[in-house]
Amino acid sequence: MIKFFRRIRQQLLTENKFSKYLIYAIGEIVLVVIGILIALQINNWNELKKNNATTKLIFEEILNDLEYDIRLADQQISYYYRTDSLCGRVLSNEVSIKDYDSGKYLNLINPIQKFFYDDLRLNAFNLLMQKSEIIPVQYKGELNLIKDIYTNDIEDIINYNNQLEKYCIDLENEYRKNYDWYSDSKEEYLAQKKYFQLNDPKYLNNVKLFELSVEYLNVSYNVFRTNAIIAYHQIHKKNNSLRKIPEYIPKYAKASHEELVEYIGSYRIGNNIGKLSIESFYLKMQVGEFYNVNIYKIAKDTFVPGFGKKESIQFKRDSTGTVVSLDLFENGVFLYNCEKIKN
């Protein structure tokens, strides 16, 4: 082919047809440029294909880590619910000396625990950050979502954990310095410790502060878990993943403000009034001064609370399509209907 084009050039020059030769030369240059552009485009296609394949593999690893971290958050939240229940019994004076003899409440007087935030899996996230420049534009939403979860949400967990750990260490040092019974070295010291737990107001104050600190950490784990679940389903769909979704990962819908606004208002719940308000992409139910819970949309008119709750909520509409009440279920069993109070 090269010899063929060379022969044409020589023939045009020999015949002194310079203008035709110039046209031919320009055409040859254009063909070369087109060839280069085609080669570059093919290379870009190959690079894009390679980046897409790498991105899918990384996000599959992200899914794997999210499964582990959501399960870990479940365990941590479950622990905090149990601890909160223990604190509630202590603060309500429902604990007897037999309870302390059983050892069930010892962690409230010596509450330093091993927390799990440093056990979260970050390998896939770190790889994602290293490869962030090659992530295709269609994955930028998932990239930002994961980045927010594994930086901001985990930072909140670490901060609240550090606060709780500092409180526990300070409390431990206070007991060690000021109370002989701290060593547990004598039978009489054990009796003094139980008396302190059952009768000293300072102990109740310590338990109350511990309960509040645990609640803050529990909320941060719930936020992490909720956002991780949202991210998991979004990535699973975007990646066309074939992996089976574990049963412990519920299907939360990231509802818009417009989708949620028709549910807000006050509802009559037994002798109490429950108020529903919008919080980000979910609803917050406030009953009385202290009880509040987040509820998440899983289908039209169907909501469930976060981890640790067994209830579900089904909103009811009248013939015009207006929300008029909600039915509360526990373990699939109907409990009662709560009428919406008209404004």
Side-chain angles (χ1 to χ4, degrees):
M1 182 64 70
I2 295 175
K3 290 181 178 180
F4 173 75
F5 285 113
R6 186 182 296 138
R7 191 180 304 116
I8 293 177
R9 287 200 303 269
Q10 291 175 347
Q11 182 178 349
L12 291 173
L13 289 172
T14 302
E15 296 175 0
N16 200 24
K17 296 179 180 180
F18 181 75
S19 60
K20 290 184 178 181
Y21 172 78
L22 185 61
I23 294 173
Y24 166 80
I26 293 173
E28 189 173 351
I29 293 171
V30 170
L31 288 175
V32 171
V33 171
I34 291 174
I36 293 172
L37 291 176
I38 291 174
L40 289 174
Q41 186 62 48
I42 292 174
N43 183 66
N44 289 340
W45 285 338
N46 290 336
E47 193 68 25
L48 182 61
K49 186 177 180 181
K50 180 181 177 182
N51 290 345
N52 283 335
T54 300
T55 298
K56 286 180 70 71
L57 289 175
I58 292 175
F59 274 105
E60 280 298 317
E61 288 302 310
I62 290 287
L63 289 175
N64 189 59
D65 285 1
L66 283 173
E67 290 178 6
Y68 177 86
D69 291 341
I70 290 169
R71 172 67 86 181
L72 197 64
D74 286 350
Q75 295 171 357
Q76 192 68 11
I77 294 168
S78 179
Y79 163 75
Y80 287 128
Y81 277 127
R82 292 195 302 271
T83 300
D84 185 67
S85 177
L86 294 179
C87 290
R89 290 199 62 190
V90 171
L91 295 171
S92 301
N93 294 314
E94 298 176 5
V95 181
S96 68
I97 194 168
K98 290 183 178 179
D99 292 311
Y100 283 112
D101 285 340
S102 71
K104 189 193 303 186
Y105 295 87
L106 290 180
N107 65 320
L108 296 183
I109 199 167
N110 183 22
I112 297 177
Q113 300 291 328
K114 168 68 169 66
F115 300 121
F116 297 145
Y117 73 84
D118 56 343
D119 291 331
L120 293 170
R121 287 184 174 175
L122 298 175
N123 290 340
F125 168 71
N126 291 334
L127 178 60
L128 181 64
M129 292 299 97
Q130 293 172 11
K131 300 288 187 179
S132 59
E133 293 184 358
I134 72 164
I135 302 300
V137 64
Q138 63 266 30
Y139 279 91
K140 292 300 181 182
E142 288 70 27
L143 173 64
N144 293 332
L145 186 58
I146 289 297
K147 185 176 180 180
D148 186 58
I149 290 171
Y150 281 98
T151 52
N152 296 334
D153 289 353
I154 288 185
E155 183 178 356
D156 287 342
I157 291 174
I158 293 173
N159 288 338
Y160 285 124
N161 178 83
N162 289 341
Q163 292 175 24
L164 179 58
E165 189 170 11
K166 181 180 184 303
Y167 165 72
C168 292
I169 292 173
D170 291 345
L171 186 59
E172 181 90 352
N173 289 332
E174 178 189 340
Y175 289 155
R176 179 176 55 82
K177 293 177 181 178
N178 299 315
Y179 296 95
D180 292 337
W181 49 254
Y182 177 79
S183 66
D184 286 341
S185 58
K186 298 179 181 179
E187 190 66 30
E188 62 182 281
Y189 287 167
L190 294 176
Q192 291 174 12
K193 178 188 287 188
K194 293 171 187 175
Y195 181 87
F196 173 79
Q197 292 172 318
L198 291 170
N199 300 287
D200 197 314
K202 189 172 184 178
Y203 173 66
L204 294 181
N205 293 339
N206 291 337
V207 171
K208 182 61 180 178
L209 184 55
F210 177 67
E211 180 189 47
L212 291 174
S213 300
V214 166
E215 176 63 21
Y216 291 138
L217 188 54
N218 188 30
V219 168
S220 66
Y221 267 108
N222 268 289
V223 170
F224 169 82
R225 177 183 182 272
T226 299
N227 289 334
I229 289 171
I230 295 292
Y232 182 90
H233 287 292
Q234 191 168 320
I235 293 170
H236 194 282
K237 181 178 180 181
K238 177 63 68 69
N239 230 32
N240 294 317
S241 179
L242 299 178
R243 68 191 303 126
K244 183 179 179 181
I245 299 176
E247 293 182 0
Y248 61 84
I249 300 182
K251 178 63 174 176
Y252 289 166
K254 196 166 186 177
S256 66
H257 185 278
E258 291 72 21
E259 291 178 86
L260 297 175
V261 70
E262 62 180 332
Y263 301 110
I264 64 174
S266 299
Y267 293 79
R268 196 176 305 280
I269 303 176
N271 296 325
N272 299 305
I273 300 296
K275 295 182 179 180
L276 284 180
S277 58
I278 298 175
E279 192 81 14
S280 185
F281 56 86
Y282 51 88
L283 296 174
K284 179 180 288 292
M285 176 179 284
Q286 178 82 38
V287 182
E289 183 178 356
F290 299 105
Y291 180 81
N292 68 80
V293 63
N294 299 332
I295 59 174
Y296 304 92
K297 187 175 183 181
I298 59 172
K300 180 177 175 59
D301 294 340
T302 303
F303 288 73
V304 294
F307 177 81
K309 308 294 183 181
K310 300 178 181 178
E311 300 90 348
S312 62
I313 293 171
Q314 181 72 44
F315 287 91
K316 297 295 184 181
R317 300 175 183 269
D318 61 15
S319 58
T320 67
T322 302
V323 174
V324 294
S325 66
L326 64 84
D327 288 343
L328 184 62
F329 297 83
E330 183 172 358
N331 292 325
V333 178
F334 173 78
L335 295 180
Y336 43 78
N337 175 265
C338 305
E339 180 184 1
K340 187 175 185 181
I341 301 173
K342 295 182 179 179
N343 297 327

